[in-house]
Amino acid sequence: FLSTQRVFGFQSPNDRPVFATIGLRNQGVAITDKSTKFADFAALADVDSKVLGTNVIKLEKRQSKKPDSYNEKRKILDRKDIDAVMIATPDHWHAKIAIESMLAGKDVYCEKPMTLTIEEGQLICDVCR
């Protein structure tokens, strides 16, 4: 092997992070669709099985790989292969899921409002630190 062959054949694991989306209505679908060019989606979660099933099929077509599906976010947080979660649940769940995700070692993407109270925001900052 020439050293250049090894270099040109090398791909960093950071080239394609592995994501999961929690919450798949409206904004959850939009942010997932926009992110498939930057990341691979290993899993989707939603409490509505019909919404979940429809979006698993759509994402499989989009990325040519079927994501796992869960009706419970905890199963996503327990997985070691998922680098980051995208949170698109109803607003009142954002802070709780963001904190649980960070405590599970995941990076978090969450759009506004991330919190409903100042105290939730302070708690998120504390956990992030």
Side-chain angles (χ1 to χ4, degrees):
F1 263 150
L2 294 172
S3 61
T4 54
Q5 286 176 315
R6 286 191 313 223
V7 170
F8 291 129
F10 177 75
Q11 279 192 322
S12 167
N14 295 326
D15 288 347
R16 295 288 295 180
V18 179
F19 282 14
T21 302
I22 301 171
L24 295 167
R25 294 208 182 254
N26 304 321
Q27 194 61 10
V29 173
I31 61 177
T32 300
D33 286 348
K34 290 176 186 174
S35 300
T36 55
K37 59 184 154 189
F38 306 110
D40 296 320
F41 281 80
L44 301 175
D46 198 282
V47 295
D48 185 327
S49 60
K50 186 175 179 182
V51 168
L52 180 59
T54 299
N55 284 289
V56 165
I57 292 166
K58 282 186 197 175
L59 185 57
E60 181 179 14
K61 288 177 184 173
R62 188 173 187 94
Q63 70 177 9
S64 301
K65 184 179 178 193
K66 184 177 182 179
D68 294 330
S69 61
Y70 303 106
N71 63 359
E72 164 55 42
K73 67 172 170 29
R74 180 89 259 158
K75 294 189 178 181
I76 285 177
L77 302 184
D78 289 341
R79 289 182 52 168
K80 302 296 181 217
D81 63 323
I82 294 175
D83 300 311
V85 295
M86 301 178 70
I87 301 168
T89 58
D91 297 348
H92 64 279
W93 286 108
H94 287 182
K96 180 179 182 353
I97 296 171
I99 289 167
E100 289 175 353
S101 299
M102 287 186 286
L103 291 174
K106 311 292 183 225
D107 289 330
V108 172
Y109 175 85
C110 186
E111 293 184 345
K112 67 179 184 179
M114 189 166 195
T115 69
L116 297 178
T117 66
I118 292 169
E119 291 79 16
E120 285 179 345
Q122 291 168 332
L123 185 55
I124 284 174
C125 288
D126 290 343
V127 172
C128 189
R129 278 189 218 110

